[in-house]
Amino acid sequence: NSAGQSVSVPFKVLAYPSVTDVSNYNFTKGTVITLTGNNLDDVTAVAVSDSVKGIADAATIVSKTKKELIVQMPATTLTRGT
């Protein structure tokens, strides 16, 4: 500005995560599934859900990097997600 002062505001730009590959579609409790894609390091929750039935069961995030997200499946009655 004309007074020679500036303001700095720190911020982080978040990109939407995308999944390009899934190691398997076994929804059995305890199964570990690896999701491969991009921007997966910002994911904070994963759920197996069926929007038609109104069911959502939270999976456990085992580990995550920018390119890989590993989750452990919860006990669920779902055999597919929507």
Side-chain angles (χ1 to χ4, degrees), residues 1-38:
N1 64 23
S2 61
Q5 297 182 357
S6 64
V7 175
S8 176
V9 179
F11 66 94
K12 180 178 180 180
V13 176
L14 297 177
Y16 287 109
S18 62
V19 174
T20 56
D21 190 44
V22 179
S23 63
N24 67 69
Y25 292 91
N26 181 351
F27 287 8
T28 306
K29 178 184 177 183
T31 299
V32 174
I33 296 177
T34 301
L35 306 172
T36 306
N38 201 16

Side-chain angles (χ1 to χ4, degrees), residues 43-79:
V43 173
T44 58
V46 176
V48 179
S49 64
D50 185 326
S51 58
V52 175
K53 294 180 181 177
I55 300 170
D57 297 315
T60 301
I61 296 175
V62 175
S63 67
K64 60 184 178 176
T65 65
K66 183 175 179 77
K67 301 281 185 184
E68 186 177 83
L69 179 65
I70 300 174
V71 297
Q72 186 173 31
M73 297 305 294
T76 184
T77 58
L78 295 175
T79 57

